[in-house]
Amino acid sequence: MFALSCPHQNNAVKWLQGPALQCTKHDSQYQPDGVHTSGRATRNMIANVIRRDGDAIVVDLHRWIQSDKDPTGWAAATVAI
Ligand code: FES
């Protein structure tokens, strides 16, 4: 799960056909898995820390993972359903 703001200057990102995500300010684009593919941003989208708790998925909105600072944590920031 990703913060829906661009890591360049924290502007909103929108969903595009393709599929892809695009920043609404400088048009950086990201794959659905948050990987940066083009534009001014220099890194992947910021992942929220999540965990599975029984039938629920818990999102910690106070902790996040940046791919350039914690690539292993960023890659593991998924929950299998
Ligand atoms: S704010 Fe998103 S590319 Fe600049």
Side-chain angles (χ1 to χ4, degrees), residues 8-47:
H8 179 231
Q9 291 182 349
N10 296 321
N11 276 76
V13 294
K14 64 181 178 183
W15 184 253
L16 297 176
Q17 297 291 328
L21 294 157
Q22 183 178 41
C23 173
T24 56
K25 187 170 185 181
H26 301 126
D27 299 330
S28 284
Q29 290 196 9
Y30 306 88
Q31 297 176 163
D33 62 359
V35 173
H36 174 248
T37 56
S38 66
R40 287 191 195 182
T42 57
R43 56 189 161 103
N44 300 325
M45 293 179 70
I46 296 170

Side-chain angles (χ1 to χ4, degrees), residues 51-68:
R51 65 181 165 81
R52 187 173 183 165
D53 185 5
D55 292 337
I57 296 173
V58 178
V59 180
D60 184 343
L61 298 177
H62 301 287
R63 295 173 50 214
W64 54 89
I65 304 168
Q66 296 178 357
S67 63
D68 51 337

Side-chain angles (χ1 to χ4, degrees), residues 1 47-51 65 70-80:
M1 176 166 194
N48 289 108
V49 174
I50 58 175
R51 65 181 165 81
I65 304 168
D70 182 2
T72 302
W74 191 85
T78 61
V79 172

